[in-house]
Amino acid sequence: MKMGEDVRGAHSERPQKLVLCVLCGLPAAGKSTFARALRHWLQQELGWAVGVVAYDDVMPEAVLEKPSQWKLFRQELLKFLEHFLLAVINGCQMSAPPSKTEAMWKDFITCLKDQDLISSAAVEAQALYPLTKTAVSRPLLLILDDNFYYQSMRYEVYQLARKYSSGFCQLFLDCALETCLQRNAQRPRPLPAETIHQMGNKIEKPNPEKNAWEHHSLAVQSPACASEARLKLTDLLITALENPIKHVEENLEQKETDRLIGSTNILHQADQTLRRIVSQTMKEAKDEQMFPYNLKLLAEELNKLKAEFLEDLRQGNKKYLCFQQTIDLADVISFFHYEKDNIVRKYFSKQH
């Protein structure tokens, strides 16, 4: 295939080409199986270097028991990925972050070593990790395997790609909810069926028509081994590789002016939207006949959360939107829903 030959193989004087690929979908949709098959196929057919970073394998198991820590671990993993990207782009050794969760970093390093992306001879005590020839001598695709059910989670990866002018694409593994539930039930450590149902209700599929940054996206039926699916996949991946996101340096004064104008508008819209969400949540809690005392506490916590989000937007403290360089109302709402749901679950558990 001629398009494949154009990006195949050997190292040249051109800058290293790389793509961050978000693989998203419900739990038990077959993402990990698909990622392994895609990795093997791209290595054999196009001669690319491919790394699969499965969040379930790298993030601590404790994150399932402490959802409040979940977002922090995701942010930390993005920092790990950034250190690897910097090493690939600059053709140097990868350095360890100054502060890190040791067990998570060790699993991340093991993940890269097992896929021949960093040298197995790396001396971890020196906190420097040489890249392999594989990682720097051919096009590199990094597949991030997770649910990524909120748009805001995927947007963080897009921002990372934009920061380093790399390619970006999304693959949504489209699998029926009932099939996911059946597969999940057969796993050694299944998730609660309720969790998968909740994700199915909340999942925000890639929407290229609405969001320009999601333009390079493809919904893939499971399994996706047909020749037609492979052709579409090949076209998407090569297009993303050959069209990295441009990191545009803007006039700082104009950028600050635009930010202030945008922040004012976003703040007003966010205030109205978050008020409606809190009001609707309280109505639902009353309809579920939550105890009056719990209703009072829930209202206090939700209003406090709303105030903190608005202050975060106003001051740019980034407590909640800690990876955002630009703020989009949809991202604010998605993050707010996530934090709000954690609070609501706590109060409903008190009922029983």
Side-chain angles (χ1 to χ4, degrees):
M1 180 176 172
K2 189 174 186 303
M3 288 183 71
E5 291 170 359
D6 291 340
V7 295
R8 185 190 296 269
H11 178 64
S12 71
E13 295 303 317
R14 295 181 300 171
Q16 169 73 348
K17 290 186 174 182
L18 61 94
V19 178
L20 289 178
C21 176
V22 169
L23 177 58
C24 55
L26 292 175
K31 296 185 297 299
S32 297
T33 301
F34 176 74
R36 288 192 295 269
L38 180 60
R39 176 174 181 261
H40 177 76
W41 171 55
L42 289 173
Q43 288 173 329
Q44 297 298 315
E45 297 297 322
L46 296 182
W48 287 12
V50 183
V52 178
V53 180
Y55 279 44
D56 284 349
D57 294 340
V58 176
M59 292 174 67
E61 290 186 10
V63 76
L64 297 174
E65 302 166 7
K66 297 181 179 179
S68 60
Q69 298 296 308
W70 178 69
K71 182 183 174 184
L72 296 176
F73 282 125
R74 293 181 68 90
Q75 298 295 339
E76 187 172 2
L77 182 50
L78 280 175
K79 285 296 181 186
F80 293 176
L81 287 165
E82 184 171 7
H83 276 251
F84 179 65
L85 291 183
L86 276 169
V88 171
I89 292 167
N90 295 323
C92 62
Q93 297 182 94
M94 180 178 70
S95 62
S99 59
K100 58 189 179 297
T101 301
E102 290 295 341
M104 187 169 161
W105 175 251
K106 183 177 180 180
D107 287 341
F108 179 69
I109 291 299
T110 300
C111 170
L112 298 183
K113 282 183 179 180
D114 289 346
Q115 298 177 89
D116 193 32
L117 295 177
I118 61 173
S119 172
S120 58
V123 181
E124 298 188 14
Q126 296 177 2
L128 288 174
Y129 304 83
L131 303 185
T132 61
K133 184 178 179 181
T134 299
V136 297
S137 65
R138 58 186 72 181
L140 172 62
L141 176 72
L142 276 181
I143 302 172
L144 308 186
D145 170 12
D146 191 36
N147 302 311
F148 287 108
Y149 61 96
Y150 280 142
Q151 169 194 302
S152 55
M153 300 171 185
R154 305 190 299 270
Y155 188 65
E156 291 176 338
V157 181
Y158 169 81
Q159 286 182 303
L160 188 59
R162 183 176 62 184
K163 183 176 181 180
Y164 294 103
S165 298
S166 69
F168 173 81
C169 65
Q170 299 180 125
L171 298 176
F172 174 70
L173 207 57
D174 195 0
C175 185
L177 177 62
E178 287 305 317
T179 301
C180 293
L181 290 168
Q182 291 170 9
R183 290 176 179 171
N184 174 68
Q186 296 170 2
R187 288 179 163 180
R189 298 182 62 183
L191 290 173
E194 180 186 359
T195 300
I196 298 179
H197 274 290
Q198 288 176 347
M199 285 191 186
N201 292 330
K202 294 178 181 179
I203 194 165
E204 298 170 353
K205 300 178 183 179
N207 190 344
E209 294 181 3
K210 179 182 177 183
N211 303 312
W213 63 271
E214 294 191 293
H215 179 66
H216 294 149
S217 300
L218 181 66
V220 181
Q221 298 295 326
S222 175
C225 298
S227 58
E228 181 182 350
R230 287 195 174 188
L231 285 173
K232 289 181 178 179
L233 266 173
T234 302
D235 287 343
L236 175 76
L237 295 172
I238 292 178
T239 299
L241 185 79
E242 298 291 353
N243 295 275
I245 304 164
K246 302 297 182 184
H247 180 64
V248 181
E249 293 294 339
E250 300 175 279
N251 177 282
L252 293 179
E253 184 176 342
Q254 183 61 44
K255 183 178 179 180
E256 179 64 13
T257 301
D258 293 344
R259 186 192 69 79
L260 290 172
I261 294 172
S263 295
T264 301
N265 292 335
I266 286 288
L267 190 63
H268 176 68
Q269 295 174 50
D271 185 28
Q272 292 183 319
T273 304
L274 299 189
R275 284 175 186 271
R276 286 196 294 270
I277 293 172
V278 170
S279 177
Q280 179 62 28
T281 303
M282 292 305 301
K283 180 180 181 302
E284 292 171 358
K286 290 176 183 176
D287 291 344
E288 292 292 328
Q289 298 183 336
M290 183 179 287
F291 300 142
Y293 181 69
N294 285 350
L295 276 174
K296 178 176 178 294
L297 295 179
L298 175 62
E300 289 175 356
E301 280 211 55
L302 291 179
N303 282 308
K304 179 182 177 184
L305 179 67
K306 176 175 70 69
E308 289 177 344
F309 259 75
L310 294 176
E311 184 64 18
D312 197 32
L313 281 172
R314 188 179 294 110
Q315 300 294 339
N317 294 327
K318 310 298 184 191
K319 175 182 178 183
Y320 290 99
L321 309 174
C322 53
F323 201 78
Q324 302 289 87
Q325 301 299 318
T326 58
I327 300 297
D328 181 87
L329 183 59
D331 297 327
V332 176
I333 294 170
S334 291
F335 280 128
F336 185 79
H337 270 299
Y338 170 71
E339 299 290 345
K340 178 263 296 181
D341 288 345
N342 283 338
I343 293 173
V344 171
R345 277 194 293 272
K346 178 175 65 175
Y347 280 94
F348 273 108
S349 68
K350 292 179 180 180
Q351 294 281 104
H352 306 288

